[in-house]
């Protein structure tokens, strides 16, 4: 989308069911207004494209309440016109989508089992982390007490040496 070149765009959707040979018009969106053409899709289509603009950048639609009858080929024709001062440039882009509707999948036993195992492993790892933290705390605490005892013994040894040296010194009169 370029602001310096005014443009308008329209989107047309076509549908060909799997048992049909030709496309039929499904939906048209232009001038900020959409219209459902195919009666099979009345009240089941919703515009999901660009809103509040005539220069569309997105031409997507939602199909609500999908049924097996929606299986088929969808074609989107995007028509954009760039308006210059003395010239209009028109581009058309086609996109084709083949959609196959399948029954809703349910979660298998493997999926449920893997989720349970994930939670069990998370809880197990957290318990192991707590045990490791307690072990490390005790080890650090014991090392700290040992270091305090060593420094206290060293301090007492230095103090007693100083006292012995002072006894040998006599005061001059």
């Amino acid at each position: 989308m370029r602001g310096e070149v005014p443009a308008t765009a329209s989107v047309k959707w076509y549908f060909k069911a799997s048992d049909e040979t030709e496309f039929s018009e499904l939906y048209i969106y232009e001038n900020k207004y959409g219209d459902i053409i195919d009666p099979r899709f009345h009240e089941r289509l919703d515009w999901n494209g660009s809103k509040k603009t005539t220069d569309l950048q997105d031409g997507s639609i939602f199909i609500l309440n999908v049924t097996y009858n929606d299986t088929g080929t969808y074609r989107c024709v995007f028509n954009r016109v760039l308006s210059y001062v003395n010239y209009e440039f028109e581009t058309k882009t086609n996109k084709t989508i083949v959609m196959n509707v399948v029954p809703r999948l349910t979660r298998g036993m493997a999926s449920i089992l893997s989720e349970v195992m994930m939670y069990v492993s998370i809880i197990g790892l957290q318990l192991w982390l707590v045990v490791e933290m307690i072990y490390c705390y005790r080890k650090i605490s014991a090392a700290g007490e040992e270091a305090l005892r060593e420094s206290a013994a060293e301090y007492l040894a230095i103090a007693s040496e100083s006292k012995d040296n002072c006894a040998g010194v006599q005061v001059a009169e």
Side-chain angles (χ1 to χ4, degrees):
M1 184 165 148
R2 298 182 56 160
E4 64 268 13
V5 179
T8 58
S10 64
V11 177
K12 290 185 181 179
W13 280 92
Y14 299 89
F15 174 64
K16 180 175 72 170
S18 55
D19 60 346
E20 295 176 355
T21 57
E22 292 187 22
F23 282 95
S24 61
E25 275 193 334
L26 170 66
Y27 187 82
I28 297 174
Y29 189 91
E30 59 186 340
N31 297 325
K32 301 181 187 179
Y33 177 74
D35 190 26
I36 301 170
I37 308 298
D38 195 326
R40 296 175 285 187
F41 291 91
H42 276 287
E43 297 183 9
R44 295 194 315 122
L45 283 183
D46 192 22
W47 177 252
N48 190 44
S50 302
K51 295 175 176 53
K52 299 180 182 174
T53 181
T54 56
D55 186 13
L56 304 172
Q57 300 298 308
D58 181 1
S60 56
I61 56 174
F62 279 134
I63 301 174
L64 309 170
N65 302 322
V66 175
T67 65
Y68 291 111
N69 294 332
D70 297 333
T71 296
T73 305
Y74 294 82
R75 178 171 291 152
C76 173
V77 178
F78 210 95
N79 185 24
R80 188 162 186 239
V81 178
L82 297 172
S83 300
Y84 296 98
V85 177
N86 296 319
Y87 177 71
E88 286 189 344
F89 181 75
E90 183 176 347
T91 60
K92 280 191 178 184
T93 303
N94 294 324
K95 296 292 179 185
T96 303
I97 300 165
V98 178
M99 185 170 86
N100 188 19
V101 179
V102 296
R104 181 183 295 254
L105 295 177
T106 58
R107 288 183 62 184
M109 189 61 170
S111 169
I112 295 168
L113 185 61
S114 67
E115 186 176 347
V116 169
M117 290 306 297
M118 177 189 67
Y119 288 120
V120 167
S121 64
I122 288 172
I123 292 169
L125 288 171
Q126 286 180 342
L127 291 173
W128 178 63
L129 179 64
V130 169
V131 169
E132 282 292 318
M133 288 174 59
I134 292 170
Y135 171 75
C136 289
Y137 174 77
R138 286 184 176 173
K139 194 163 187 157
I140 290 169
S141 178
E145 289 175 6
E146 184 64 32
L148 284 175
R149 273 190 241 121
E150 286 178 7
S151 65
E154 194 175 293
Y155 176 74
L156 290 174
I158 293 172
S160 62
E161 284 177 12
S162 298
K163 188 177 180 184
D164 291 341
N165 290 343
C166 289
V169 175
Q170 294 194 3
V171 179
E173 292 187 22

